[in-house]
Amino acid sequence: MKQQEFEEKLEKVSDGTLKKQEPMRNHTTFRIGGAADYFISPKNVKQIKEIQTLCQIYQIPCEVIGNGSNLLVSDQGIEGVVLQLGTAFSQIRQEGTNLIVQAGAALSGVAQKAAQSGLTGLEFASGIPGTLGGAVVMNAGAYGGEMSQVIRQVTLLTKDGEQIILSNEEMQFGYRKSILTKKPYLVLEAELCLKEGDPVLIKANMAELNARRREKQPLEYPSAGSTFQRPVGYFAGKLIMEAGLAGFRIGDAQVSEKHCGFVINRGNAAADEVKTLIDIVQRTVYQKTGVKLELEIRCLGR
């Protein structure tokens, strides 16, 4: 009865965007994952607040995702509500050399917008497949650049529905982490501080970085990007290759031969296969080198 009551209220609040038993493989770049009980693409902040409040009242779990580019979702799916911040939260405003970007904007699109406006500093992000929100949470980076270098401040929504603004320093950025890896705040938007540059040189730099990415990364297969964090003083991919695990495979989950730091989906990999593969890689590398590989991807679900 309580479940039915919750569903009826959620249906009303979600304003036609509610999907039940939605396959998460359709919403992750890994193309892996069972069904979410409830999947909603909210249209505005008011709707997010109402959904979060409803989940708190009925004690239903609520997860927020962007493009799903850094996620491994369980084969058993996700309990409760999944909110995906997408096109309704993808506006980009320019104020001088600063960009104010909503959480659902594709990072590659933000980098393109910066380039078109003759703003430099975001070239490193042009090939990162996630959204601005996810990039802020994990301080995404590539080729020597990372989000913490360009973020001035971030607008967040607390569990109590309060909007707060944190400065770059208050965000506590570190390697692939921020205050958001510890606190359950939701990113609404971020202000990025960039500099004036030559649009021709900016676009040339972006093209060069993207060519390097295509050459060295297995972009032809579904994946969640780099599977492991870079250990201090080492490269995860090199350690895995030297451990003899290049091409190692369980079902359709495989250590990429092109870049051993990536676990790829060869077609129909299950999350359990990926997880088993990861465990073997971590254990083997530790046995051979004494180095513990920490996950960069986020595991979600039952």
Side-chain angles (χ1 to χ4, degrees):
M1 188 65 186
K2 201 175 177 186
Q3 188 76 18
Q4 187 182 343
E5 192 178 276
F6 169 75
E7 284 190 16
E8 287 170 359
K9 290 184 178 179
L10 189 65
E11 190 98 51
K12 189 176 178 183
V13 168
S14 62
D15 191 23
T17 66
L18 173 64
K19 296 177 181 177
K20 296 179 187 177
Q21 295 302 310
E22 175 68 8
M24 287 304 296
R25 73 178 73 88
N26 297 340
H27 303 283
T28 67
T29 57
F30 229 148
R31 297 290 172 256
I32 292 173
D37 292 345
Y38 309 101
F39 187 92
I40 301 169
S41 301
K43 298 175 180 177
N44 50 55
V45 176
K46 178 175 176 285
Q47 204 174 39
I48 293 174
K49 288 181 181 180
E50 289 174 343
I51 293 165
Q52 286 189 329
T53 300
L54 201 57
C55 288
Q56 283 178 343
I57 291 169
Y58 286 88
Q59 297 184 308
I60 301 290
C62 183
E63 290 284 354
V64 180
I65 69 166
N67 191 44
S69 59
N70 195 44
L71 299 180
L72 175 62
V73 175
S74 159
D75 300 315
Q76 287 73 45
I78 299 177
E79 181 186 357
V81 176
V82 173
L83 295 181
Q84 183 182 47
L85 300 193
T87 50
F89 289 86
S90 59
Q91 288 185 354
I92 304 170
R93 303 195 316 276
Q94 183 176 348
E95 293 183 2
T97 55
N98 289 4
L99 295 180
I100 292 88
V101 186
Q102 288 189 311
L107 206 53
S108 56
V110 182
Q112 289 291 343
K113 165 69 175 172
Q116 288 162 8
S117 303
L119 298 176
T120 184
L122 208 55
E123 291 89 329
F124 72 90
S126 63
I128 297 176
T131 56
L132 185 278
V136 171
V137 172
M138 68 172 291
N139 189 21
Y143 300 111
E146 57 185 19
M147 294 305 295
S148 61
Q149 296 168 358
V150 296
I151 288 174
R152 178 173 173 266
Q153 62 183 32
V154 182
T155 303
L156 303 161
L157 186 67
T158 70
K159 283 284 188 187
D160 298 325
E162 179 190 0
Q163 287 191 40
I164 60 172
I165 295 175
L166 296 187
S167 67
N168 182 299
E169 190 175 317
E170 289 170 325
M171 285 296 295
Q172 298 176 22
F173 288 117
Y175 176 68
R176 300 298 173 263
K177 65 181 181 180
S178 69
I179 193 172
L180 305 178
T181 48
K182 295 174 282 188
K183 290 189 178 277
Y185 299 150
L186 185 156
V187 179
L188 292 177
E189 66 177 30
E191 183 174 354
L192 311 181
C193 279
L194 305 173
K195 294 177 181 175
E196 289 183 359
D198 182 336
V200 175
L201 292 179
I202 294 167
K203 288 176 182 176
N205 187 16
M206 280 168 51
E208 183 193 337
L209 292 180
N210 286 334
R212 282 167 62 187
R213 189 184 296 272
R214 285 191 300 273
E215 180 192 339
K216 295 183 177 179
Q217 296 181 8
L219 303 183
E220 63 272 28
Y221 291 103
S223 79
S226 296
T227 307
F228 305 98
Q229 295 183 20
R230 188 179 66 240
V232 178
Y234 299 92
F235 292 100
K238 191 167 185 286
L239 290 173
I240 296 165
M241 183 177 68
E242 289 173 352
L245 293 169
F248 180 69
R249 183 170 177 172
I250 293 178
D252 271 352
Q254 183 180 36
V255 174
S256 168
E257 293 169 289
K258 194 173 185 180
H259 189 315
C260 292
F262 284 65
V263 173
I264 58 174
N265 178 359
R266 299 271 321 187
N268 197 30
D272 284 348
E273 291 172 340
V274 173
K275 195 73 177 67
T276 302
L277 182 66
I278 286 171
D279 289 343
I280 291 170
V281 168
Q282 289 174 315
R283 192 163 63 245
T284 305
V285 168
Y286 183 69
Q287 286 169 351
K288 288 180 179 286
T289 67
V291 178
K292 288 184 178 178
L293 292 179
E294 303 289 344
L295 282 183
E296 185 164 309
I297 63 175
R298 185 174 165 225
C299 298
L300 268 190
R302 293 182 171 94

